[in-house]
């Protein structure tokens, strides 16, 4: 069986085969966060999708090199650094650390490389120099260096590989200095932005004078450095197709003369209760906002993984409550299986695994994958109730589940998900019990219960459980 994925380049579902002649190694680059604020749940939908792609590739036996950059210099960041009268590293460092904490809380595997744009200024300059030398970039009167779409197309290259752009009808030839712009204003875009006083302390020397890189060239330089001039997979949210990814292709292919990426994958957007997320509508949530409402990263992950990556996902609080119920069903079944298996290992039972793999390989058909999981839960519960599941059966079922969960990443409740104040209350209760202060111990148990946590005294000590 082979993994099939929707390639935005061909606009069709195609069998994935890596560039590696040995068919083993896969390079995957996903545009990372712009660290100017806490990532919101829309961003998280895209990063959880990238984690799913990586895990699916690993499940299929590939050795993945997963790269996710940190955009730590671009227009929005500079604006906030100026407004908040702080320095770039101080400002971005805080949000980068928060991002990595949230990534962990959502059960995402850590990317193997997390390059920062500010640590790649030399590579960025070298790439722009190549583009200038090849005649597809020029320094304009404003001091900035721009990519020339006309010159690029004149070399027989195609601008508009991801989106069908009718360049003849568009206002080509104009220049845009900002990192984000609309399709209607397709134009020469900035590779190197000449210094302006609004940039404050954020500037580097270059052959074109003091300035800073444009956002698009950052990703070209970092991905080429990490994965080579041509690599397997490039991911991002659908909004990045234009101009960001289109510009990345133009810069990279314009500089190297080689195809940049074999497979482009784009995740659809997330809406909240049917509307575009916005602070003014009061429907804007970060992971931290949801955690403050008592939800866990695991529950949010489950919800974000519940629909196909190419379908717009409607986030609702009912959906999040449903995620909690569904996880409880899985947990209950797993707990019974663990008890029955007596902790022994076994060979993976192929029933669940086969159905799950078939679904996954069909362009990550997650709905069919979950259907296989819940059918398995139902069947397993039935067999347990009928006493027809032997110890080796239970061990084999668990081994099969573990393989499935190597992709879903929801099976384990990590310690990190118990909030610090809850752990502190549990510890205080243990201390009270040791001191035979049972009144206080009971009061602490009640306190925990009122906050949604049950405490169970087991042979290995007290255990916290969400209720
Ligand atoms: P940014 O930090 O703004 O560069 O965005 C990080 C990632 O989140 C990009 O891949 C975006 O495409 C993606 N993204 C932004 N908004 C949403 C949304 N509402 N739903 C899904 N992905 C999004
Ligand atoms: Zn990018």
């Amino acid at each position: 069986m082979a993994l099939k994925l929707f390639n935005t380049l061909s606009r069709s579902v195609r069998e994935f085969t890596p560039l590696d002649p040995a068919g083993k190694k896969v390079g995957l680059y996903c545009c990372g966060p712009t660290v100017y604020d806490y990532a919101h749940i829309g961003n998280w939908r895209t990063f959880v999708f990238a984690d799913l792609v990586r895990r699916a590739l690993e499940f299929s036996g590939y050795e993945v090199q997963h790269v996710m950059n940190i955009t730590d210099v671009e227009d929005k960041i500079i604006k906030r650094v100026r407004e908040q009268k702080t320095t770039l590293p101080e400002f971005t460092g805080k949000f980068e650390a928060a991002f990595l904490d949230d990534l962990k809380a959502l059960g995402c595997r850590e990317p193997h490389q997390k390059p920062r744009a500010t640590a790649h200024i030399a590579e960025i300059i070298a790439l722009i120099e190549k583009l200038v030398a090849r005649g597809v970039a020029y320094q304009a009167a404003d001091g900035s260096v721009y990519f020339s779409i006309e010159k690029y197309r004149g070399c027989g290259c195609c601008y508009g590989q991801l989106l069908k752009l009718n360049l003849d009808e568009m206002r080509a030839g104009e220049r845009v200095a900002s990192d984000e712009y609309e399709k209607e204003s397709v134009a020469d875009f900035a590779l190197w932005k000449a210094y302006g006083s609004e940039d404050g302390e954020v500037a580097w020397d270059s052959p074109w004078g003091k300035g800073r890189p444009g956002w698009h060239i950052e990703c070209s330089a970092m991905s080429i450095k990490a994965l080579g001039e041509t690599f397997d997979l490039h991911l991002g949210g659908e909004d990045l197709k234009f101009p960001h990814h289109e510009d990345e292709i133009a810069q990279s292919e314009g500089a190297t003369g080689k195809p940049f990426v074999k497979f482009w994958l784009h995740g659809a957007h997330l809406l909240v209760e049917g509307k575009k997320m916005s602070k003014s509508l009061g429907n804007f949530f970060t992971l931290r906002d949801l955690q403050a409402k008592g939800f866990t990263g695991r529950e949010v992950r489950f919800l974000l993984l519940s629909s196909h990556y190419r379908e717009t996902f409607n986030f609702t609080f009912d959906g999040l409550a449903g995620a909690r119920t569904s996880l409880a069903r899985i947990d209950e079944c797993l707990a019974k299986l663990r008890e029955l298996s007596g902790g022994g290992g076994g060979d993976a039972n192929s029933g669940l695994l086969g159905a799950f793999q078939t679904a996954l390989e069909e362009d990550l058909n997650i709905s069919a994958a979950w259907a296989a999981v819940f059918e398995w839960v139902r069947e397993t519960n039935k067999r347990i109730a009928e006493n027809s599941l032997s110890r080796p059966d239970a061990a084999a079922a668990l081994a099969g589940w573990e393989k499935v969960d190597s992709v879903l990443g929801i099976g384990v409740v990590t310690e990190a998900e118990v909030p610090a104040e809850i752990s502190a209350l549990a510890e205080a209760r243990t201390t009270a019990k040791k001191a035979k202060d049972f009144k206080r111990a009971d009061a602490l148990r009640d306190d925990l219960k009122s906050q949604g946590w049950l405490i169970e005294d087991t042979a290995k000590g007290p255990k916290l459980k969400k209720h």
Side-chain angles (χ1 to χ4, degrees):
M1 294 276 282
L3 181 60
K4 288 189 234 119
L5 298 166
F6 185 90
N7 188 351
T8 313
L9 272 181
S10 64
R11 294 154 183 87
S12 59
V13 176
R14 291 283 165 94
E15 182 180 326
F16 171 76
T17 50
L19 293 160
D20 175 16
K24 187 84 185 152
K25 294 194 170 139
V26 171
L28 182 158
Y29 184 92
C30 176
C31 292
T34 304
V35 281
Y36 73 108
D37 210 335
Y38 296 107
H40 57 63
I41 54 171
N43 301 138
W44 286 119
R45 180 183 197 205
T46 295
F47 296 122
V48 169
F49 152 61
D51 182 62
L52 176 70
V53 173
R54 167 188 169 169
R55 284 169 178 263
L57 289 161
E58 288 174 342
F59 178 83
S60 298
Y62 296 114
E63 204 178 287
V64 182
Q65 183 63 214
H66 178 190
V67 182
M68 187 193 63
N69 73 296
I70 305 283
T71 302
D72 62 350
V73 54
E74 58 79 79
D75 296 350
K76 294 192 288 283
I77 294 178
I78 298 208
K79 185 164 174 269
R80 296 225 176 152
V81 167
R82 191 174 64 234
E83 284 165 2
Q84 298 184 15
K85 299 192 172 49
T86 173
T87 65
L88 189 87
E90 204 175 320
F91 177 75
T92 58
K94 174 180 150 194
F95 292 115
E96 181 186 314
F99 178 84
L100 297 178
D101 283 347
D102 292 356
L103 193 72
K104 209 181 266 172
L106 283 162
C108 295
R109 288 188 178 156
E110 196 173 335
H112 303 97
Q113 298 183 53
K114 301 185 291 291
R116 291 191 192 108
T118 52
H120 288 78
I121 302 295
E123 286 82 357
I124 292 168
I125 290 175
L127 198 59
I128 301 175
E129 279 181 318
K130 263 195 192 168
L131 290 167
V132 173
R134 295 187 112 214
V136 290
Y138 61 93
Q139 187 167 26
D142 63 3
S144 294
V145 180
Y146 291 89
F147 185 91
S148 165
I149 292 181
E150 204 185 318
K151 291 272 165 51
Y152 178 66
R153 292 179 74 209
C155 306
C157 297
C158 173
Y159 187 81
Q161 298 189 25
L162 299 171
L163 287 188
K164 280 204 169 64
L165 298 169
N166 189 342
L167 287 145
D168 298 328
E169 280 181 11
M170 291 171 172
R171 291 180 289 129
E174 282 179 28
R175 277 191 285 273
V176 281
S178 63
D179 285 329
E180 289 174 71
Y181 51 92
E182 299 296 321
K183 201 161 96 239
E184 291 63 39
S185 58
V186 67
D188 291 2
F189 55 90
L191 301 168
W192 187 260
K193 304 186 185 201
Y195 180 78
S197 58
E198 67 282 3
D199 293 341
E201 314 248 291
V202 185
W204 289 267
D205 287 326
S206 83
W208 315 281
K210 208 164 116 173
R212 63 183 171 95
W215 170 38
H216 316 300
I217 195 78
E218 295 175 6
C219 274
S220 288
M222 286 185 278
S223 58
I224 289 175
K225 168 132 191 255
L227 297 170
E229 292 179 341
T230 304
F231 58 91
D232 295 291
L233 292 141
H234 196 313
L235 276 64
E238 60 185 356
D239 60 312
L240 297 193
K241 281 184 208 165
F242 184 88
H244 187 55
H245 288 164
E246 210 64 75
D247 290 352
E248 271 191 51
I249 295 176
Q251 296 157 158
S252 309
E253 299 192 354
T256 68
K258 295 181 189 153
F260 179 40
V261 170
K262 194 171 176 189
F263 263 77
W264 283 91
L265 266 56
H266 291 97
H269 263 201
L270 170 146
L271 302 174
V272 174
E273 311 278 355
K275 297 209 172 73
K276 192 173 171 203
M277 230 186 336
S278 88
K279 287 193 174 147
S280 59
L281 285 179
N283 67 352
F284 183 98
F285 300 105
T286 63
L287 176 65
R288 282 141 201 261
D289 295 332
L290 301 181
Q291 286 169 325
K293 290 179 188 289
F295 295 100
T296 65
R298 184 174 175 242
E299 288 162 349
V300 177
R301 178 184 179 90
F302 180 94
L303 186 63
L304 294 178
L305 280 180
S306 63
S307 80
H308 193 263
Y309 73 95
R310 285 193 287 122
E311 278 164 21
T312 300
F313 179 65
N314 189 23
F315 173 94
T316 64
F317 280 95
D318 282 350
L320 200 46
R324 178 169 289 178
T325 311
S326 301
L327 281 169
R329 273 185 66 205
I330 295 174
D331 288 347
E332 204 186 322
C333 178
L334 292 175
K336 282 192 271 184
L337 280 177
R338 285 194 189 107
E339 209 180 305
L340 257 177
S341 73
D347 287 334
N349 172 317
S350 61
L352 166 64
L353 206 53
F356 180 82
Q357 184 169 351
T358 305
L360 196 72
E361 288 180 340
E362 199 51 50
D363 192 28
L364 311 177
N365 184 346
I366 202 78
S367 315
W370 283 119
V373 167
F374 284 103
E375 173 57 25
W376 172 79
V377 168
R378 206 183 55 78
E379 190 58 30
T380 306
N381 283 339
K382 191 167 146 241
R383 289 187 64 194
I384 293 172
E386 288 167 350
N387 264 332
S388 69
L389 204 73
S390 67
R391 180 178 280 230
D393 287 345
L398 271 180
W401 163 258
E402 257 144 45
K403 290 208 168 151
V404 164
D405 194 48
S406 72
V407 179
L408 299 174
I410 48 115
V412 194
V413 186
T414 56
E415 291 291 320
E417 289 194 351
V418 179
E421 62 276 18
I422 298 295
S423 301
L425 285 176
E427 272 167 36
R429 175 179 166 270
T430 307
T431 312
K433 268 183 79 180
K434 275 192 192 144
K436 302 214 179 323
D437 184 352
F438 297 112
K439 208 170 151 201
R440 178 164 160 73
D442 286 348
L444 285 162
R445 176 196 282 270
D446 290 345
D447 193 359
L448 281 165
K449 197 171 171 201
S450 71
Q451 298 194 48
W453 292 85
L454 292 179
I455 195 153
E456 275 175 15
D457 291 309
T458 71
K460 289 185 187 155
K463 273 214 167 125
L464 283 164
K465 228 178 108 181
K466 287 222 86 175
H467 77 87

